[in-house]
Every structure is written in C-alpha cells, then in structure tokens.
Amino acid sequence: PLVNFFKPDFKSNLKNKIIVSPKLIGDVTKKFDKVPKDIRYLAYNLDTRKIYASKGISEPIPPGSFTKLATSMVALDLLNPDTLITATKDSINKEPTILGLKEGEQVSVLDLVRASIATSANDAASTLAIGSTKLLGLDPSDYLDLINQKAALMSMSDTHFINPEGYDDPSQQTTILDLVKLIDHALGYKEIVSAAKSDMENITQTNTHGFYYLPNWNGLLGVYEGVYGLKIARTEKAGYCTIVLSRRNSINIAVIIFGAKTLQERDQTAADLLD
C-alpha cells in the first residue's frame, strides 16, 4: 500500500496572531536593591517598553510552567475553544500540580487552557497536546514541533521546548528577553487573558466530565491593586517564578521573576518591583 509521508502543515494557523514584539528601551544594567541576589528579573512598561530594573535577562533559564502559555496558544491556534478533547492514560499520568482528570473524560479546549494557565495543571497541558494531535491526525511528538515552530514565529530565538508541561530538561530553555515576546503574544489570546485573571471560576460538571476545582495560584491576584495576570512557574531547577501584570492609573507594568527560593520571596519581590 502507498504510505503518506506528508503530514498536514499548520504553519498558517500558527501565524494568525503573530505580531512584531516591540523592543525594550532603557538601561538593562539598572538593578533594584531590594531584590535578593540570586533572583533574575525584569520590570518594564508594557506600553512604552521602558525598562525600570533588570538582571540576567539574556541568560538561559528553564521555562518551567511558562511553557504552558505556548502550549495553550498552539491549541487555540489549531482548534475551536469548544472542541472536546479526550483525556488518555498517558495524558493524565503526570506529577502534580494536576487537575485530576480521569481517562476517557472529554473536556473542552477552553477549560483545559483555563486549567493550564490559572492552576498550572500538568495533566491539562498534556491533554491539550496529546488530544490535539490525535484529533488532527498527528503523533503526540508533533505537538512539540508545533510549539517550537510557534516560538520561532514569535522570534524567541533562544527558546527550545522539549515537553508541553514545562518539566525540567537540559534542552528545554528560554531567556527572560524571550519571555517578553511570549507575554506580548499571549495577550493576544482572550482565552489566556481571561484564564490568567480568573479566580475560583471552577470547571462545572457536564455529561462528559466531572467537576473540577480551579483556583488561581497567582499570589498577587486580588491582593495587589491592578494585577490581572499572567502565569506562575515552579520546578526544581527554575525555583519559584512568576510573570505578573498590573495596570493602575493608565500605567501598565510587567514583572518577570525567576529563581526565588520560596513562594513568599517570589511574590514579595514582584510586589516590591511593582511598587
């Protein structure tokens, strides 16, 4: 029998929301004394692109669960948010943090994105990746190729993804400068923005899946005035990390924290930089 060696090309889908990420301006050597010495960070104005303070922004770092932003973007590029994806044994066999999906449950792309962003659920991100490729007639490994294609289209030249959840791997890396481009593009997806600022908007039970508790682990959401996103991350190599966005009096600030030793240090440092 003839074998089809050609897989579908989804590059046009991945290009739909690509923008030119404006360059940052200002002094990249300007430090902020209140930041613990081992933390790498960046505080900048999302609108004017002015850098307020930074350290180590071009150094390679493991992306941790910031990876889930790219994972979610690709799923939304390829599928309708209402599309149901089936959880499999492989997609739910993940280490915490997890949503607790059960094999055979069918969950919408939108709810899996919400779980991936707000709760940083590894089984949700894995189900997005494995389920999407199955629906599109691809192999699960093809999703990583799609994520890396997306990163290349976003001009994240120092980024490479090995898994869709963000688990540590020597070959999985990014930089804070590349994360700026990831943020710019993530803000173009209303589903991601909505998930990032939602808190306690649980996944209600349907005839295809059970009820799921969906807190938001952004510690400054609802605590620090104006915070509306975006994503936390935590792995052994990355430490405690966060991307916090806050808008107040028409001033729109982004803070990226990498390598805090504790959750409290992460959130306090982010708040200090926002102040």
Side-chain angles (χ1 to χ4, degrees), residues 32 35-36 39 41-43 218 220 224 227 241-246 253-257 260 263-275:
F32 182 57
V35 177
I39 291 179
Y41 60 92
L42 172 64
N218 181 347
L220 297 185
Y224 191 100
V227 168
C241 311
T242 191
I243 297 171
V244 179
L245 311 180
S246 183
I253 305 296
V255 167
I256 303 171
I257 301 290
L263 185 152
Q264 291 78 13
E265 184 179 70
R266 178 198 76 185
D267 290 344
Q268 184 61 59
T269 301
D272 289 341
L273 282 163
L274 285 171
D275 284 344

Side-chain angles (χ1 to χ4, degrees), residues 120-156:
S120 203
N122 289 317
D123 53 351
S126 176
T127 298
L128 271 178
I130 294 176
S132 294
T133 52
K134 186 174 182 179
L135 284 175
L136 297 168
L138 302 171
D139 296 324
S141 60
D142 291 327
Y143 203 84
L144 294 176
D145 181 56
L146 292 170
I147 295 176
N148 284 307
Q149 283 188 50
K150 185 71 173 182
L153 289 167
M154 292 187 287
S155 298
M156 296 175 66

Side-chain angles (χ1 to χ4, degrees), residues 4 8 10 38 41 51 129 135 138 143 160 169 187 194 201 221 227 244 249-250 266 268:
N4 180 11
F10 294 102
D38 293 332
Y41 60 92
I51 296 173
L135 284 175
L138 302 171
Y143 203 84
H160 185 69
D169 186 284
L187 291 175
S194 178
E201 295 181 11
L221 188 69
V227 168
V244 179
N249 298 328
S250 300
R266 178 198 76 185
Q268 184 61 59

Side-chain angles (χ1 to χ4, degrees), residues 77-273:
D77 286 341
L78 300 179
L79 298 170
N80 187 291
D82 294 329
T83 301
L84 292 179
I85 291 182
T86 303
T88 66
K89 183 178 180 180
D90 289 336
S91 77
I92 65 175
N93 185 24
K94 300 294 172 180
E95 295 180 0
T97 302
I98 59 172
L99 193 60
L101 293 170
K102 299 172 183 63
E103 183 178 0
E105 285 190 313
Q106 293 182 306
V107 185
S108 71
V109 169
L110 178 60
D111 280 340
L112 291 172
V113 167
R114 291 174 57 216
S116 298
I117 302 302
T119 304
S120 203
N122 289 317
D123 53 351
S126 176
T127 298
L128 271 178
I130 294 176
S132 294
T133 52
K134 186 174 182 179
L135 284 175
L136 297 168
L138 302 171
D139 296 324
S141 60
D142 291 327
Y143 203 84
L144 294 176
D145 181 56
L146 292 170
I147 295 176
N148 284 307
Q149 283 188 50
K150 185 71 173 182
L153 289 167
M154 292 187 287
S155 298
M156 296 175 66
S157 56
D158 294 313
T159 296
H160 185 69
F161 296 113
I162 292 294
N163 58 72
E165 303 89 4
Y167 292 124
D168 285 333
D169 186 284
S171 297
Q172 181 142 300
Q173 65 177 28
T174 189
T175 65
I176 290 177
L177 280 175
D178 271 5
L179 291 177
V180 171
K181 298 170 185 176
L182 187 65
I183 293 168
D184 289 338
H185 285 84
L187 291 175
Y189 292 78
K190 64 180 186 296
E191 299 88 355
I192 291 176
V193 174
S194 178
K197 66 183 181 182
S198 69
D199 192 17
M200 305 303 292
E201 295 181 11
N202 300 323
I203 297 176
T204 56
Q205 184 174 350
T206 72
N207 60 354
T208 66
H209 64 75
F211 168 89
Y212 287 103
Y213 175 61
L214 203 64
N216 192 315
W217 299 126
N218 181 347
L220 297 185
L221 188 69
V223 175
Y224 191 100
E225 182 183 348
V227 168
Y228 64 94
L230 177 63
K231 186 76 187 72
I232 57 94
R234 163 76 173 97
T235 67
E236 183 178 347
K237 289 186 178 180
Y240 289 86
C241 311
T242 191
I243 297 171
V244 179
L245 311 180
S246 183
R247 184 185 295 107
R248 190 189 300 181
N249 298 328
S250 300
I251 300 175
N252 199 13
I253 305 296
V255 167
I256 303 171
I257 301 290
F258 174 85
K261 294 179 180 177
T262 65
L263 185 152
Q264 291 78 13
E265 184 179 70
R266 178 198 76 185
D267 290 344
Q268 184 61 59
T269 301
D272 289 341
L273 282 163

